[in-house]
Amino acid sequence: MITIISSTNRKNSFTKKLANTYNLLCKEFNMQSQIFDLQYLPQDFIFSCSYGRSTKEFDELLNKYFLKAEKYIFIIPEYNGTIPGILKALIDCADYKSFKSKKVSIVGVSSGRAGNIRGVDHLTSIFHHLGSEVFNINPKLSNINLSYKENELIDDKYLELIKNHLNQFNEY
Ligand SMILES: Cc1cc2nc3c(=O)[nH]c(=O)nc-3n(C[C@H](O)[C@H](O)[C@H](O)COP(=O)(O)O)c2cc1C
């Protein structure tokens, strides 16, 4: 099972649209997948699930989306030159076993030109620190706001890039 993490709690985000595109392609390629949308994290998790404390709801989310999955694809939008704070907060609140020895792939997204290249590097460093195995192909999708018409990815080059990425991550 691959968990695709839509790494923002912003409503109507392009990150979520891209997570949906990945999920649909996984189905097309007969790869088992599910989306973890950070929009649906418990609203107070930063306080109620940190520093040794947790809740049943948070544990169940970690179990379903991380502990029971073998591989993760993190779709990470560029917020102020790096990963969204909500993603770092989730990593700080989660048990390190959620990430240790897991196969992780990272996809950067931005409306600007960089495709969150720095955020991809920052998150790679964090996952190396946590003992994850980070896949070396990291698509970086810039100008993402111009690449979707409603919920459909209309940029053929990006579609090809994502298909290649998924096929290679499947063999990883
Ligand atoms: C708090 C915040 C900070 C942002 N900072 C950047 C940035 O540093 N560089 C950039 O290219 N885009 C930046 N953006 C725009 C996002 O890259 C853009 O919204 C894009 O669609 C991906 O984010 P989304 O998934 O929330 O839609 C920022 C957006 C937000 C909400």
Side-chain angles (χ1 to χ4, degrees), residues 11-156:
K11 285 189 183 14
N12 302 318
S13 69
F14 283 93
T15 297
K16 180 63 185 296
K17 289 180 201 271
L18 188 58
N20 284 332
T21 301
Y22 263 91
N23 199 33
L24 283 172
L25 287 170
C26 280
K27 308 284 174 241
E28 200 179 303
F29 297 158
N30 289 320
M31 296 159 69
Q32 272 202 318
S33 61
Q34 59 184 352
I35 294 179
F36 184 21
D37 183 347
L38 300 197
Q39 209 185 143
Y40 301 119
L41 277 166
Q43 295 219 340
D44 67 341
F45 81 96
I46 299 180
F47 286 87
S48 57
C49 306
S50 51
Y51 317 129
R53 295 198 309 154
S54 198
T55 60
K56 191 162 175 270
E57 185 187 8
F58 190 67
D59 287 346
E60 281 173 2
L61 286 174
L62 292 185
N63 202 34
K64 175 173 179 192
Y65 291 111
F66 291 124
L67 296 169
K68 285 194 169 164
E70 294 87 45
K71 295 182 179 182
Y72 315 142
I73 298 175
F74 280 84
I75 316 277
I76 55 161
E78 178 167 341
Y79 288 176
N80 298 313
T82 187
I83 64 172
I86 187 127
L87 175 59
K88 182 59 165 61
L90 170 65
I91 294 169
D92 288 349
C93 290
D95 191 312
Y96 78 96
K97 288 195 205 93
S98 305
F99 306 110
K100 188 162 175 51
S101 303
K102 297 286 188 167
K103 292 183 173 175
V104 174
S105 191
I106 303 170
V107 180
V109 177
S110 73
S111 54
R113 288 165 56 188
N116 203 6
I117 188 165
R118 277 186 295 189
V120 169
D121 282 348
H122 296 161
L123 192 58
T124 299
S125 297
I126 292 169
F127 283 135
H128 280 156
H129 180 84
L130 293 173
S132 316
E133 293 181 31
V134 185
F135 189 45
N136 68 330
I137 297 173
N138 318 114
K140 293 159 207 78
L141 309 188
S142 54
N143 299 323
I144 194 72
N145 48 319
L146 307 177
S147 309
Y148 272 87
K149 190 174 175 195
E150 300 297 328
N151 293 317
E152 189 193 349
L153 182 62
I154 52 168
D155 186 313
D156 289 342

